[in-house]
Amino acid sequence: MNIPSELKYTKDHEWVKIDGDIATVGITDFAQGELGDIVYVEVETVDETLDKEEVFGTVEAVKTVSDLFLPLSGEIIEFNEALEDEPEKVNTDPYGEGWMIKIKMSDASEVDDLMSDADYKALIGA
C-alpha cells in the first residue's frame, strides 16, 4: 500500500499536500481500495469557504457513496475536472492524477492537526 511520507493525512482517509497557502486534497490509496471501482466524484462546493471537517463532496463507487470531508478550513478554489470523465483516476493514481480539490487555507495552523504518514499507517494497521 502506498502512503507517501511527504503528505499529511486525516482520520477520514484524505491526503493533503501543502504548497504555501494552497492545499491539494484527495483520498488515500487505502480508501480507494476499500471503496472499490470509483464511478463518480461530485464536488459542488468550488468557490465556497467551508470549515474543517465539513462535507465538500461525495465519491461514488459501484456499491456505495461516501462523503468527502474537508481536512482544512478555507475556500475551495479548484476541482479536478478530469475526474468528471475519468473518475477511475482516483483508483489508478490517487496521489497524482486522482487528486480532487485545491483549497486556499484560511488557518495554516490546522495543518498541525493532520496525521503524519506513520500516524496514518498506525490508524489503518499498515
Side-chain angles (χ1 to χ4, degrees), residues 22-43:
I22 304 298
T24 303
V25 178
I27 64 169
T28 65
D29 191 25
F30 174 82
Q32 70 80 20
E34 292 290 303
L35 287 167
D37 292 338
I38 293 172
V39 295
Y40 189 66
V41 178
E42 180 176 47
V43 174

Side-chain angles (χ1 to χ4, degrees), residues 55-95:
V55 174
F56 71 83
T58 57
V59 61
E60 183 176 340
V62 173
K63 296 180 181 173
T64 188
V65 176
S66 291
D67 286 335
L68 297 166
F69 297 95
L70 203 62
L72 301 162
S73 301
E75 179 185 358
I76 298 173
I77 58 171
E78 189 176 348
F79 167 62
N80 182 357
E81 293 183 2
L83 298 181
E84 290 181 350
D85 295 325
E86 298 178 271
E88 65 274 7
K89 286 181 184 283
V90 176
N91 291 117
T92 58
D93 190 11
Y95 302 112

Side-chain angles (χ1 to χ4, degrees), residues 1-125:
M1 182 173 320
N2 185 11
I3 303 172
S5 60
E6 71 275 9
L7 302 176
K8 296 288 189 178
Y9 299 89
T10 72
K11 64 179 176 23
D12 299 309
H13 310 289
E14 281 98 15
W15 60 263
V16 183
K17 179 181 178 185
I18 307 296
D19 185 12
D21 65 347
I22 304 298
T24 303
V25 178
I27 64 169
T28 65
D29 191 25
F30 174 82
Q32 70 80 20
E34 292 290 303
L35 287 167
D37 292 338
I38 293 172
V39 295
Y40 189 66
V41 178
E42 180 176 47
V43 174
E44 294 184 349
T45 49
V46 174
D47 298 328
E48 292 183 27
T49 299
L50 301 175
D51 291 328
K52 174 181 168 181
E53 299 184 359
E54 279 193 80
V55 174
F56 71 83
T58 57
V59 61
E60 183 176 340
V62 173
K63 296 180 181 173
T64 188
V65 176
S66 291
D67 286 335
L68 297 166
F69 297 95
L70 203 62
L72 301 162
S73 301
E75 179 185 358
I76 298 173
I77 58 171
E78 189 176 348
F79 167 62
N80 182 357
E81 293 183 2
L83 298 181
E84 290 181 350
D85 295 325
E86 298 178 271
E88 65 274 7
K89 286 181 184 283
V90 176
N91 291 117
T92 58
D93 190 11
Y95 302 112
E97 292 184 0
W99 67 273
M100 293 182 174
I101 60 167
K102 292 189 180 185
I103 308 163
K104 183 172 177 48
M105 295 184 290
S106 56
D107 183 355
S109 71
E110 290 178 349
V111 172
D112 298 336
D113 297 332
L114 298 173
M115 302 169 120
S116 68
D117 60 313
D119 293 337
Y120 186 69
K121 285 176 185 172
L123 174 76
I124 62 171

